[in-house]
Amino acid sequence: MITAKHHKISKTLKTHKHSRVHYRPASMDSAISTGCTTPDELVTFAKSLKGIRYRFGSTNPEKGFDCSGFVNYVFHHFGIGIPRSSIDFASAFGRVDLSEARSGDLILFTGTKKSKRAGHIGIVISEPGEPVMFIHSTSGAANGVTETPLNDYYMGRYIKTIRLFTDNGPVDNTDSKADSVSMEGAIRSSSGS
């Protein structure tokens, strides 16, 4: 296992050995190309970052990660450009049923249990039929990159599961307006507690 102090951020782009894609932040209107990277490779790398502390606004492993900084750093490592902020995933990209969540999918939550806005994101590390587990950077008790089960607290904040790896299976590619309506319903039902 690689520890936090062994990760150094470079001033220049490093591409994954299977990838010829250079990192460019994805726009919400474009599909995200994962190239030759597999969900297993992505999750293995994400797990190697466990224990790196939480730091708001950071994508630097030497300083710490916020939730979207962690997810962005993991995807960037493989040359995959994704939006920087978790809120950018709220009304874009294909969703999958939570029961179909697979390793490598993204899982989006409100910022807090009382919030109505997307504000937290992680990477699913479980397979269908298993209890949903995800890896994320949290400012909570774990204070950093950790693996967490989808417990009642996080289920109360759940917005949607997002599939970027097409080899993980089909997605529901509803238009952004329908996706926003569905998200608003999920937020309303989760913000009542």
Side-chain angles (χ1 to χ4, degrees), residues 28 85-93 95 108 117-119 121 159-160 162 176 179-180 183-184 187:
M28 292 188 301
S85 174
S86 56
I87 198 161
D88 292 335
F89 286 95
S91 61
F93 308 107
R95 73 169 55 228
L108 186 66
R117 293 182 61 192
I121 195 164
I159 296 175
K160 69 179 181 175
I162 302 160
S176 294
D179 203 30
S180 295
M183 183 190 72
E184 288 170 12
I187 291 170

Side-chain angles (χ1 to χ4, degrees), residues 21-95:
V21 178
H22 289 281
Y23 174 77
R24 275 183 248 97
S27 77
M28 292 188 301
D29 298 329
S30 66
I32 292 176
S33 172
T34 56
C36 296
T37 304
T38 68
D40 288 342
E41 287 175 309
L42 185 104
V43 167
T44 298
F45 179 68
K47 287 181 175 184
S48 77
L49 302 170
K50 283 191 329 190
I52 293 178
R53 69 187 178 118
Y54 180 88
R55 181 157 186 180
F56 180 77
S58 177
T59 60
N60 184 339
E62 292 177 2
K63 295 179 179 179
F65 295 118
D66 67 6
C67 65
S68 56
F70 165 68
V71 171
N72 207 273
Y73 182 80
V74 170
F75 278 82
H76 178 113
H77 174 78
F78 294 97
I80 303 168
I82 62 170
R84 169 61 179 93
S85 174
S86 56
I87 198 161
D88 292 335
F89 286 95
S91 61
F93 308 107
R95 73 169 55 228

Side-chain angles (χ1 to χ4, degrees), residues 1-190:
M1 183 166 145
I2 301 171
T3 61
K5 62 184 171 188
H6 292 115
H7 290 282
K8 300 238 186 263
I9 199 158
S10 173
K11 299 286 184 206
T12 59
L13 168 70
K14 291 183 181 180
T15 56
H16 186 260
K17 64 183 176 182
H18 300 295
S19 175
R20 299 287 182 245
V21 178
H22 289 281
Y23 174 77
R24 275 183 248 97
S27 77
M28 292 188 301
D29 298 329
S30 66
I32 292 176
S33 172
T34 56
C36 296
T37 304
T38 68
D40 288 342
E41 287 175 309
L42 185 104
V43 167
T44 298
F45 179 68
K47 287 181 175 184
S48 77
L49 302 170
K50 283 191 329 190
I52 293 178
R53 69 187 178 118
Y54 180 88
R55 181 157 186 180
F56 180 77
S58 177
T59 60
N60 184 339
E62 292 177 2
K63 295 179 179 179
F65 295 118
D66 67 6
C67 65
S68 56
F70 165 68
V71 171
N72 207 273
Y73 182 80
V74 170
F75 278 82
H76 178 113
H77 174 78
F78 294 97
I80 303 168
I82 62 170
R84 169 61 179 93
S85 174
S86 56
I87 198 161
D88 292 335
F89 286 95
S91 61
F93 308 107
R95 73 169 55 228
V96 292
D97 286 338
L98 185 57
S99 64
E100 295 298 317
R102 292 188 176 279
S103 186
D105 290 344
L106 296 176
I107 190 163
L108 186 66
F109 304 95
T110 59
T112 64
K113 204 160 184 157
K114 294 179 182 178
S115 174
K116 294 182 180 182
R117 293 182 61 192
H120 192 69
I121 195 164
I123 302 169
V124 175
I125 58 172
S126 56
E127 295 297 331
E130 300 175 350
V132 176
M133 292 283 295
F134 60 100
I135 188 166
H136 60 134
S137 185
T138 177
S139 60
N143 194 32
V145 177
T146 190
E147 296 178 18
T148 303
L150 185 60
N151 55 32
D152 289 342
Y153 172 73
Y154 280 104
M155 195 61 216
R157 295 172 52 193
Y158 175 77
I159 296 175
K160 69 179 181 175
T161 308
I162 302 160
R163 178 151 300 154
L164 300 180
F165 288 95
T166 55
D167 49 334
N168 263 354
V171 299
D172 177 5
N173 284 321
T174 57
D175 65 22
S176 294
K177 185 176 180 181
D179 203 30
S180 295
V181 170
S182 297
M183 183 190 72
E184 288 170 12
I187 291 170
R188 265 189 238 109
S189 67
S190 70

